[in-house]
């Protein structure tokens, strides 16, 4: 029995690497996904990168300060409704 054919990637004239759809789908990579490229054992290693480093909620908690008394849920809903109304007029 022979080895199954490995999916192949191609390099375009512009130097773009074209990956098989099956690989991108399996990894959740969509057009525009940023990938880091590293040299690894005679080849390349592709890793997905993100605009922001992963963080825990504890590091973000309290980063958006509000001056003044706490708003009621009704006041928050009213502000959302006003903003949505303002934007729908555009």
């Amino acid at each position: 029995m022979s080895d199954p054919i490995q999916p192949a990637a191609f390099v375009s004239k512009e130097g773009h690497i074209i990956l098989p759809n099956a690989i991108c789908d399996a990894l959740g990579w969509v057009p525009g996904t940023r990938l880091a490229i590293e040299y690894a054992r005679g080849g390349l290693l592709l890793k997905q990168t993100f605009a922001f480093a992963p963080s825990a909620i504890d590091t973000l908690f309290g980063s958006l300060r509000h001056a003044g008394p706490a708003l009621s849920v009704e006041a928050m809903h009213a502000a959302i409704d006003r903003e949505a109304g303002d934007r729908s007029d555009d």
Side-chain angles (χ1 to χ4, degrees), residues 35-88:
L35 302 173
I37 303 172
E38 299 175 12
Y39 292 104
R41 295 188 183 178
L44 296 175
L45 174 64
L46 300 176
K47 292 182 179 180
Q48 185 173 359
T49 61
F50 300 92
F52 300 99
S55 58
I57 190 67
D58 294 338
T59 60
L60 299 174
F61 185 77
S63 62
L64 300 175
R65 302 269 182 230
H66 171 71
L71 298 175
S72 68
V73 173
E74 292 78 17
M76 287 187 267
H77 283 290
I80 292 168
D81 291 341
R82 276 193 311 275
E83 184 65 24
D86 290 348
R87 290 184 184 203
S88 68

